[in-house]
Amino acid sequence: MKLTGARIDAYLKSPPADALGVLFYGPDQGLCAERAGLAAKAFGGDAANDPFSVTALSADDLSGDPARLGDEMSAMSLLGDVRLIRLRLSHERSGQSIAKILKDLDARPEACAARLIVEAGDLSPRSHIRKFFEAAKHFSSAPCYADTQATLTTLIKSDLGELGITIDRDALDAFVPLLEGDRRLARGEIEKLALYKGYGQDEDSKVTLADIKAIAAGAGAQGLDDVVNDAMSGKTASADDNLRRLLDSKTSAPSILFALQRHLVRLHQASSLMQSGQSADDAMRSLRPPVFVMNKSSFGQQLRLWPLPALSRAITPRLELEKQMKTAGSPAEALMGRLLLALASYAAKRR
């Protein structure tokens, strides 16, 4: 049986009495894991956290012995509670054999003493396992695709709202794009934001844009971001001032180089996407994490200042500088300053 939309949520709250197992598959592995955990609680209750009631299997465990899955599904619990089989499929080398075993159990549900929960990757429609779960009577499948902006908005409001925390509209608009792609990442960032706001116990329990900038993934490390953005934007004097400030605060030259490396790679990725036909805005949204809303203006300007060949050339001296910094006694701070000055001078000429 194939579950979609609201039917997935209903299944996770109360699986049918004759349900024997469920498959979660798709590109969002964080969502697969989250739903698998909810299914385990729905099937097994407290037993979901009992190591004596849960058997964990991997695809490799079944590669040489697919019949083991049938044995585990038929084995009775020694404690009299519900047994759970948690299977993680990293490949389908035994997919046809596994599907055949489960098909036999689907025809003889009385032979099953356990419940099966499978987590898999993005299975194709030709997958033997996916086809079995979609057609079975007592087993179900649930695709796990990346959250949309609408579902992420609901998730943020719901999780924060349970703690009595509200969020401004502009803060929400900035936060949502940073969470796209993986439910596990989204949950972690929402939890970090809730912690930052004192889990709603502080007097000020409203999230603002300043809060997002302060703690959100992809929006932090502002001092490093400032010097890199100034250099790549051609702001020579400002880049030099920020570099001195960072070095005076004991920020190491290799840390600054790493921030520059990350920024150059992201610019190169976005520029490559633009060459394939995407707009600058679409290219910035395609990056993971996407460009933070308050940095979009400077990032877009840098994409105009730095054509793809120039970005490729900028990456080369960065690699050479990394080697030099690893040499004992090298003047790392001076070398870092020279590279930033060269990049800022190039960008300044194109402004």
Side-chain angles (χ1 to χ4, degrees):
M1 180 194 314
K2 184 175 182 179
L3 304 172
T4 57
R7 294 177 65 196
I8 298 177
D9 295 331
Y11 185 100
L12 294 175
K13 290 178 181 178
S14 180
D18 62 347
L20 298 180
V22 60
L23 162 70
F24 299 104
Y25 70 93
D28 191 334
Q29 291 298 287
L31 184 54
C32 285
E34 180 175 303
R35 285 175 169 171
L38 292 173
K41 291 180 180 179
F43 279 137
D46 293 339
N49 299 316
D50 184 352
F52 294 102
S53 298
V54 180
T55 299
L57 297 174
S58 68
D60 289 338
D61 292 329
L62 302 180
S63 288
D65 184 19
R68 179 181 174 185
L69 180 59
D71 295 338
E72 293 287 356
M73 289 289 292
S74 302
M76 299 293 293
S77 169
L78 295 176
L79 303 178
D81 53 9
V82 176
R83 289 185 60 249
L84 296 177
I85 311 298
R86 299 288 300 267
L87 172 59
R88 286 183 170 83
L89 283 181
S90 55
H91 59 76
E92 289 189 88
R93 288 193 285 271
S94 300
Q96 190 169 6
S97 298
I98 292 173
K100 184 177 180 180
I101 291 167
L102 293 177
K103 186 175 182 179
D104 179 62
L105 291 173
D106 192 47
R108 299 185 302 111
E110 68 279 0
C112 287
R115 298 296 178 265
L116 175 65
I117 300 170
V118 183
E119 295 176 54
D122 198 5
L123 303 178
S124 75
R126 296 187 299 274
S127 160
H128 291 288
I129 291 176
R130 175 178 166 180
K131 286 195 291 187
F132 160 73
F133 275 89
E134 289 179 348
K137 180 178 180 181
H138 300 286
F139 294 85
S140 302
S141 69
C144 298
Y145 299 116
D147 284 305
T148 64
Q149 291 200 352
T151 57
L152 282 172
T153 296
T154 301
L155 183 69
I156 294 168
K157 288 182 174 180
S158 174
D159 283 9
L160 293 180
E162 289 178 0
L163 298 171
I165 302 173
T166 58
I167 182 167
D168 286 343
R169 182 73 243 184
D170 55 350
L172 185 64
D173 290 343
F175 196 38
V176 166
L178 299 176
L179 308 186
E180 294 177 352
D182 189 284
R183 176 64 71 88
R184 188 183 290 110
L185 166 68
R187 290 287 192 190
E189 289 303 305
I190 295 170
E191 172 71 14
K192 183 164 58 173
L193 183 58
L195 173 62
Y196 184 76
K197 300 303 291 185
Y199 290 109
Q201 300 302 310
D202 296 343
E203 290 185 8
D204 182 10
S205 58
K206 176 179 286 188
V207 177
T208 65
L209 187 58
D211 296 326
I212 301 299
K213 185 175 181 180
I215 62 95
Q222 199 59 39
L224 292 171
D225 287 347
D226 286 343
V227 70
V228 170
N229 273 312
D230 286 344
M232 297 303 293
S233 298
K235 300 177 181 178
T236 308
S238 181
D240 184 61
D241 288 344
N242 280 319
L243 175 62
R244 293 179 184 278
R245 191 175 297 111
L246 282 174
L247 294 176
D248 288 344
S249 66
K250 306 304 180 183
T251 302
S252 68
S255 296
I256 301 171
L257 181 61
F258 178 77
L260 175 63
Q261 169 188 340
R262 182 183 63 232
H263 192 76
L264 285 171
V265 168
R266 283 167 62 78
L267 279 171
H268 194 279
Q269 290 173 338
S271 185
S272 298
L273 291 171
M274 290 172 63
Q275 284 218 334
S276 68
Q278 291 193 23
S279 67
D281 284 343
D282 287 341
M284 286 188 277
R285 279 194 294 267
S286 297
L287 299 178
R288 288 294 176 268
V291 177
F292 185 53
V293 64
M294 297 187 70
N295 294 335
K296 279 188 174 181
S297 178
S298 62
F299 198 95
Q301 181 190 47
Q302 291 162 31
L303 288 173
R304 293 190 294 272
L305 295 175
W306 291 86
L308 189 59
L311 287 170
S312 298
R313 291 195 300 271
I315 290 174
T316 302
R318 191 276 307 165
L319 295 172
E320 182 60 31
L321 179 56
E322 186 175 9
K323 295 179 183 178
Q324 293 177 19
M325 282 187 174
K326 292 179 180 178
T327 303
S330 66
E333 295 180 358
L335 291 171
M336 188 70 246
R338 184 184 304 170
L339 175 58
L340 288 173
L341 177 61
L343 295 173
S345 298
Y346 172 87
K349 292 177 182 178
R350 294 181 57 86
R351 286 174 63 90

